Amino acid sequence: QTCPNDKDRYRTGNNGGMITVDNSVTINGCRLYHGCSSEILKTLPSESVDAVVTDPPFGIGFDYDGKKEEHNNPSGYWAWLEPIYQEWMRILKPGGFMAVWNAQANFRYFWDWFGDDIHIYIGAKNFVQIRKVPINYGYEPVIMKYKIGAPPKSTINAERSIDYYVANTAAMVSDTKRIERNHPCPRAIDLTIEIVKNFTLDGGLILDPFMGSATTGIACIKTGRSFIGIEKDKRYYELSCKRIGLEKSKQTLLEGW
């Protein structure tokens, strides 16, 4: 999770709805940053986003395309994640919503890390890779809370404000041509949409400091929210730019019918 030494920068310009400035690009209203969250978050203004919806590395020794997670024990992991967490909470407006995916292996630490006011949402799966262990994991916990200081900034049109959802992970596994499959651990889009549309402010601005394949960004486009994403790996940043651009093109075509 250390910051990359990659000094590549994108030229300033405007090309068909894509505006590039230094290490970021704006694609039809979605602002995507290439760089390290710990650095880029410091440049964003305090109390400027309505929600943080993110899926950081879990600190359990996962292998990302041959690169092991740097922090694979609870103390080292939180020493790395806590400063980033504090930054996104600074950027989050009072009453703003937070949803953070994590691993069941870290469950016992969630209240110590994120506070006593959290709620655990169950992101269940309709397809699970069965391993040779006595009990297999069928869900991932999503840590949720609203920032104190104001009434919760949630939608007035919630269809399903309960704390679980069964994602269609089978569809993602079976369709090898899906663009998000170019990331080693893509998040199910239906689960992300479910969270965004039921717990975040209508028309609000959502931040994802660990953008990955831009699943949060796609959920924002589909539900009428604005989006800021940050990704340090250049491959996944370019994947996110492509995926956001394709989704925006689809939305434009649908609006034209």
Side-chain angles (χ1 to χ4, degrees):
Q1 286 80 34
T2 53
C3 295
N5 293 320
D6 187 347
K7 299 298 183 184
D8 289 345
R9 292 293 182 260
Y10 292 79
R11 293 179 298 172
T12 302
N14 190 330
N15 181 19
M18 179 182 292
I19 304 171
T20 59
V21 181
D22 192 33
N23 65 332
S24 69
V25 59
T26 300
I27 305 175
N28 292 319
C30 294
R31 187 68 177 269
L32 313 180
Y33 288 90
H34 174 224
C36 203
S37 289
S38 59
E39 295 177 353
I40 292 173
L41 288 173
K42 293 174 183 176
T43 70
L44 301 181
S46 298
E47 300 182 2
S48 58
V49 303
D50 299 296
V52 176
V53 178
T54 193
D55 180 18
F58 291 169
I60 55 175
F62 189 81
D63 190 323
Y64 289 90
D65 290 340
K67 296 179 182 178
K68 285 280 188 184
E69 283 187 88
E70 184 177 342
H71 305 291
N72 60 3
N73 63 78
S75 59
Y77 174 67
W78 186 239
W80 163 74
L81 184 61
E82 183 181 18
I84 299 172
Y85 164 67
Q86 295 296 343
E87 279 298 311
W88 83 52
M89 290 302 288
R90 173 187 64 80
I91 297 163
L92 187 62
K93 295 176 183 178
F97 174 73
M98 181 195 86
V100 183
W101 274 257
N102 215 281
Q104 287 194 43
N106 293 326
F107 213 112
R108 72 184 78 175
Y109 305 106
F110 292 163
W111 287 263
D112 293 333
W113 292 349
F114 299 102
D116 293 334
D117 55 342
I118 61 172
H119 194 108
I120 304 302
Y121 182 98
I122 302 301
K125 308 173 182 182
N126 70 354
F127 174 85
V128 177
Q129 183 179 355
I130 301 299
R131 305 178 189 278
K132 293 182 179 180
V133 294
I135 303 174
N136 279 272
Y137 294 129
Y139 75 92
E140 287 170 345
V142 184
I143 302 127
M144 291 183 168
K145 71 176 181 179
Y146 288 93
K147 184 176 176 179
I148 61 172
K153 291 182 178 295
S154 60
T155 178
I156 61 172
N157 300 308
E159 298 173 1
R160 193 174 176 276
S161 57
I162 56 177
D163 59 3
Y164 81 95
Y165 182 78
V166 182
N168 187 12
T169 51
M172 188 162 56
V173 171
S174 62
D175 186 357
T176 58
K177 294 181 179 180
R178 293 172 73 125
I179 187 171
E180 62 266 38
R181 289 289 300 273
N182 290 294
H183 190 278
C185 48
R187 184 62 50 213
I189 184 60
D190 59 334
L191 170 59
T192 312
I193 290 172
E194 183 76 8
I195 289 173
V196 168
K197 76 178 181 180
N198 286 303
F199 299 102
T200 72
L201 188 67
D202 296 312
L205 176 59
I206 297 180
L207 168 68
D208 185 351
F210 299 96
M211 181 166 57
S213 61
T215 299
T216 300
I218 300 300
C220 288
I221 294 170
K222 288 180 176 293
T223 59
R225 275 74 170 169
S226 299
F227 178 67
I228 298 173
I230 305 170
E231 175 56 48
K232 74 181 184 68
D233 190 298
K234 187 177 180 182
R235 294 168 299 170
Y236 306 143
Y237 175 76
E238 291 175 346
L239 170 64
S240 291
C241 290
K242 182 177 181 181
R243 193 178 178 199
I244 291 286
L246 288 171
E247 184 62 34
K248 277 290 189 181
S249 297
K250 272 197 289 185
Q251 291 292 316
T252 301
L253 284 172
L254 288 172
E255 289 166 4
W257 281 90

